[in-house]
Every structure is written in C-alpha cells, then in structure tokens.
Amino acid sequence: MDDDNGVVLQLGSGFQPYREYLIQGAAARSRLWLIDDEPATWQASYLAGSSVVVPLEGAGLVLDHDGLLAAAEAVARTHGVRGVFTYDEPSVIATALVAERLGLPGLTARGAQGCRDKARTRQALTAAGLPQPRFAVATTAAEAATAAADISYPVVVKPRGMAASIGVAVVSDAAGIADAFDRADSSSRNGPAEYHGGALIEELVDGPEISVDGAVVAGEYLPFCVAHKQLGEPPYFEEVGHLVDGADPLLDDPELRELLRSAHEAIGAPYGITHTEIRFSSRGPVVIEINGRLGGDLIPYVGKLATGIDPGAVLVDVARGLRPRLEPDHRTCVGIRFCYPPEDCRVVEITVPEPGSAPGLVEAHPMVGAGASVRLPPRAHIGRHAYVVCSADDLATCADRLTAAADLVELKYDALNEPEYSGRPW
C-alpha cells in the first residue's frame, strides 16, 4: 500500500458475495474512502473512512448526484483525494461527475453516459462506423413492432439503462413483441429517470459471445480479462457461467483490440475501467455493449485466479491516472457456473461440495440463506442459489468440470405458487 495520507474515493460497494474481493484488492493498493447509500458494515475493515448519501425518493434506485458531489468535496477538504472509482453500475455517472468536479482522471460524464445509456452507445458507434447490431429505439409497443419488422425477426428487446441482462429477451416473431417490450419498459423504471420507459430493438447477432474487461489510460486501451460467456435457455439472456483462459489469444488479437480501442474513443472514454461484450458473427466481431465498470458475475475474480492480475489494484491505478501492471503471474483456465433452482422457490437448505471433492473444484458457495425466495425469468433475474469455480488446462475440460461440480450442489426448497411478482426484477 502507498504510505502517504491521500485517499482514493470509492462510490458504491455492491453485494458482498459478488464484490468483496474488489474492495479488498483496492484497499491493499491505497487507502480508501467509501461513499455509499448505507453505513459501512462488512466494508469497514478495508476503509480509511466512509460517508453516507441516501438515494432520492421514488421508484427504483436513483442516486443523489448533488449529495454525492458534496460528500466528495467534503472529503477533499480534509484529505488528499488522489482518485475516484466505482465497480457499481448505478454509480457510474456519479463517479464521472465527481472525477470532473475534483479534476481527477476517470470516465468523463460523456463517456459514462455513453456506457450507461444503451441508445447513446448505439448512436456513437453508428457515427464512428463500427460494427454493431442494427437497432431502433421504441417508446411504445407499436413502435417496437414496426422496428422489429424492419430489422426482421428474431430480435433482441432490452431496456436502455439496466445491466446484468435484466429485462432482456429474444423475440422470434410478432406474437411476442408486445410482451417483451412491456417487460423491458417495466424493468427500465427501476433505474434512473432518464432511462425510464421504452426499449431498444436490436438485430440478434448469432455467434459465440465474450466479455472483455479492460483499462483505458490516456486513450490507450489495455485488455486484461477475456471471458467466454455461457448463456441459459432462451428467450432470456441469463448468464449462467463464464470461462477465462489466462493465455487467451484474443487478448492480443489485433482486429479485436482495434475494435475495442475505436469503440472507447467513439463513446468518449479516455480513462476508466470498462466491461465490453462482443459477439463473433459471420461478419466478424460485433460490439453488443460497453459498460463503464468492471464485469459482474465474479468475472474479474475468475480472471484473477487465471492470471494473478488483481482487478482491485487495477481499479486504483487507473483511478489515479496510472498505467496498471497487467503482466500475469501465471496462466491457467478457470471458470464459474451459477446454479439455478428448477422453479421459483423458497430455500430450505443448500449443500455445496468441498474443494477437491470433484476434479478441478476450487470453490463452491451458497449465494442465499435459508428462507430466501429465488425466482426465475421473466418474474425476476439473477435468481441463483449457489456457484462453483473450477480450474483446468483447457476451456473444454473446465466447462465439463463445472457441469460435474454443479451437479453436486444440493438444494432443498419449497415451491412458490405466486402467479405474479410485483417486486424488483432481480
């Protein structure tokens, strides 16, 4: 850790089982000051201090940007603030605003909007002539039907400002477009007001999908984790697992790297950490979306296991405007698989296998406790009860080991017989 009295601001902390490894790695690199919507609990041991800014009242999670700016300025008056970062999707724009207000490196407000607003991403990539799905923005079900007919089925329907595939579905014909639009429109209302209502209608691009976590420093794009995505059953885009090869040749693929660099230039992101999703179609790599933070689903953690590169340390370096150290300590294949119940349920008990009890099994953890309700799409998203992590010498073997390990997870539950669910969509 650096030994001066400065701090790096962190906005938002997220769900502990998914995100603690990041704050741990960041805290080993620099003293941290957390600004969050609740008092620090599990985060406290990693922090030099913390502030609380309560979200605005209303539907969904809407952050108080003025309050967050004031809190950041208050910390700056008493400490040397050397950078600001987030790995939390709702905090992406606020983090950019703080960086601009305090004169720190980071995503610009334009770049953050270009990531957070899927329609703006599409418009910027179009202007730059970069490969992406054909798309249209629809504000009504009728407009969605017209756009889908023009693009031609099957199409993807998604909200403008959500993440984690919430509200996203593939629609194969005109009979399903109204329901898919309504789901996307409804999901959008759990986010910031500027993204409420409407949906993107996009061409379905066939082909394998990857995600790339990368750092951008002074316009230089530096990929450090390529994950091969495993999707659940259609029509939804639930991400059920990810595979990372520490020696993946895609990390050095010139065509892919140039596409990623150009895409970040197009959306206005000279500094920051991003998570970009790419599909390999018959016409080559196509940009699906760019997110202004590290990937979720423990992808950077899996990358750390595969390479030794600590994503928390990378966050701090980029927040300070430094070129991060991205040389792997080792290179192996590691994957994660999430376990879903067979139906909506209330958990009674979860039993996971011990590391080493199956070939390559590194970790296995429950994700919810007894009494938790777990729901499947379309009523909710990210309805997982456990995950397993395995390693292997190659991706195919790793995938097979994940399947075998996931089969050892035991779930005892009571079925939920609720025909409708009116709560948050995750």
Side-chain angles (χ1 to χ4, degrees), residues 41 59 73 76 108 131 143 152 317 322 356 359 362 394:
T41 53
E73 290 177 321
T108 63
E143 289 179 2
S152 77
D317 283 349
L322 304 175
V362 177
D394 60 82

Side-chain angles (χ1 to χ4, degrees), residues 21 23 27 43 72 122 156 169 172 249 264 270 294 351 355 368 394 397-398:
Y21 75 98
I23 192 172
Q43 311 93 330
R122 289 277 171 256
V156 177
S172 57
H264 284 74
L294 279 171
T351 304
V368 294
D394 60 82
T397 302
C398 191

Side-chain angles (χ1 to χ4, degrees), residues 57 99-100 133 145 195 212 221 265 283 325 361 365 380 397:
E57 294 184 4
E100 289 190 346
Y195 311 132
V212 187
Y221 181 83
E265 181 179 64
R283 63 180 189 266
R325 174 190 171 276
L361 179 60
H365 300 281
T397 302

Side-chain angles (χ1 to χ4, degrees), residues 231-249:
L231 295 175
E233 292 297 318
Y236 308 107
F237 285 81
E238 285 284 310
E239 298 174 10
V240 301
H242 305 272
L243 295 162
V244 177
D245 180 354
D248 200 314

Side-chain angles (χ1 to χ4, degrees), residues 113-137 151 156-160 168 199-205 209 259 263 266-267 276-279 283 285-291:
Q113 288 280 6
C115 293
R116 193 80 173 86
D117 184 341
K118 310 302 183 191
R120 187 174 294 195
T121 303
R122 289 277 171 256
Q123 292 158 359
L125 297 178
T126 298
L130 296 175
Q132 61 174 329
R134 290 180 294 144
F135 75 98
V137 179
I151 293 170
V156 177
V157 181
K158 64 172 66 171
R160 284 179 57 190
V168 183
L200 264 70
I201 315 301
E202 297 183 352
E203 169 194 9
L204 176 63
V205 178
E209 185 169 344
L259 173 59
I267 64 170
T276 306
E277 297 179 348
I278 300 285
R279 277 211 173 191
R283 63 180 189 266
V286 172
V287 180
I288 300 300
E289 62 183 48
I290 305 172
N291 300 281

Side-chain angles (χ1 to χ4, degrees), residues 147-173:
D150 181 59
I151 293 170
S152 77
Y153 290 97
V155 296
V156 177
V157 181
K158 64 172 66 171
R160 284 179 57 190
M162 300 301 289
S165 300
I166 292 167
V168 183
V170 61
V171 181
S172 57
D173 55 47

Side-chain angles (χ1 to χ4, degrees), residues 33-209:
W33 192 286
L34 175 66
I35 305 178
D36 212 346
D37 59 0
E38 294 180 344
T41 53
W42 61 269
Q43 311 93 330
S45 63
Y46 302 111
L47 305 175
S50 62
S51 308
V52 176
V53 177
V54 177
L56 299 175
E57 294 184 4
L61 178 61
V62 180
L63 301 185
D64 179 358
H65 286 177
D66 290 339
L68 290 166
L69 287 167
E73 290 177 321
V75 177
R77 287 193 292 270
T78 56
H79 297 74
V81 175
R82 305 167 64 200
V84 58
F85 73 85
T86 190
Y87 48 69
D88 186 40
E89 177 74 16
S91 301
V92 166
I93 292 174
T95 301
L97 294 173
V98 168
E100 289 190 346
R101 178 70 61 88
L102 299 183
L104 301 169
L107 275 178
T108 63
R110 172 177 167 250
Q113 288 280 6
C115 293
R116 193 80 173 86
D117 184 341
K118 310 302 183 191
R120 187 174 294 195
T121 303
R122 289 277 171 256
Q123 292 158 359
L125 297 178
T126 298
L130 296 175
Q132 61 174 329
R134 290 180 294 144
F135 75 98
V137 179
T139 59
T140 66
E143 289 179 2
T146 299
D150 181 59
I151 293 170
S152 77
Y153 290 97
V155 296
V156 177
V157 181
K158 64 172 66 171
R160 284 179 57 190
M162 300 301 289
S165 300
I166 292 167
V168 183
V170 61
V171 181
S172 57
D173 55 47
I177 194 69
D179 284 347
F181 174 85
D182 288 344
R183 280 195 298 271
D185 177 83
S186 176
S187 296
S188 76
R189 299 178 191 279
N190 287 280
E194 57 265 39
Y195 311 132
H196 284 191
L200 264 70
I201 315 301
E202 297 183 352
E203 169 194 9
L204 176 63
V205 178
D206 288 326
E209 185 169 344

